[in-house]
Amino acid sequence: QVQLVESGGGSVQAGGSLRLSCAASGYTYSTYCMGWFRQAPGKEREGVASIDSNGSTSYADSVKGRFTISQDNAKNTLYLQMNSLKPEDTAMYYCAADTRPYCSGVPPLYAMDYWGKGTLVTISS
């Protein structure tokens, strides 16, 4: 059974940094396309970044140059390093897995097969 568990959320001031983690289990890690998504209050969930089995990455325009997605295959863990945080980055952040090995950019929500429960990020101005 695939399980994804996010951690690392919290409250920081604008300009600060956070690193989110997503611990994966129940499948052979690094064989899936993995992504980070977020949902701000009152808004639809959106894709933030993705990384595939080759380590190729994609980012939403709103986070390019500020966020970095990475993975540690030995630890079965996905990361999202978030720098220069802005109040508009406030959201629940979700980790998700698409069972296909390659991502097509930042995947649409419907492409993802498994989801974590999320971790809350709050950025104050």
Side-chain angles (χ1 to χ4, degrees):
Q1 181 179 358
V2 174
Q3 287 192 322
L4 303 171
V5 180
E6 303 94 337
S7 61
S11 298
V12 299
Q13 290 190 326
S17 298
L18 282 173
R19 187 176 81 155
L20 306 183
S21 299
C22 171
S25 62
Y27 69 102
T28 302
Y29 191 78
S30 82
T31 60
Y32 290 175
C33 163
M34 300 295 296
W36 285 100
F37 296 78
R38 68 185 181 185
Q39 187 165 16
K43 296 188 177 181
E44 294 185 351
R45 194 171 299 188
E46 62 178 1
V48 174
S50 67
I51 186 167
D52 68 16
S53 60
N54 282 340
S56 297
T57 59
S58 296
Y59 297 92
D61 288 344
S62 59
V63 305
K64 277 181 183 176
R66 300 189 298 122
F67 290 11
T68 302
I69 189 171
S70 63
Q71 57 191 358
D72 185 331
N73 295 338
K75 294 183 178 180
N76 291 359
T77 302
L78 178 73
Y79 300 102
L80 185 69
Q81 178 66 45
M82 306 187 295
N83 299 328
S84 302
L85 284 161
K86 304 176 181 180
E88 51 264 44
D89 294 318
T90 294
M92 186 72 80
Y93 283 72
Y94 299 90
C95 160
D98 174 356
T99 56
R100 294 171 295 180
Y102 302 109
C103 305
S104 177
V106 178
L109 274 63
Y110 61 79
M112 311 310 286
D113 299 297
Y114 301 100
W115 291 86
K117 294 184 177 181
T119 185
L120 182 63
V121 171
T122 304
I123 312 301
S124 58
S125 57

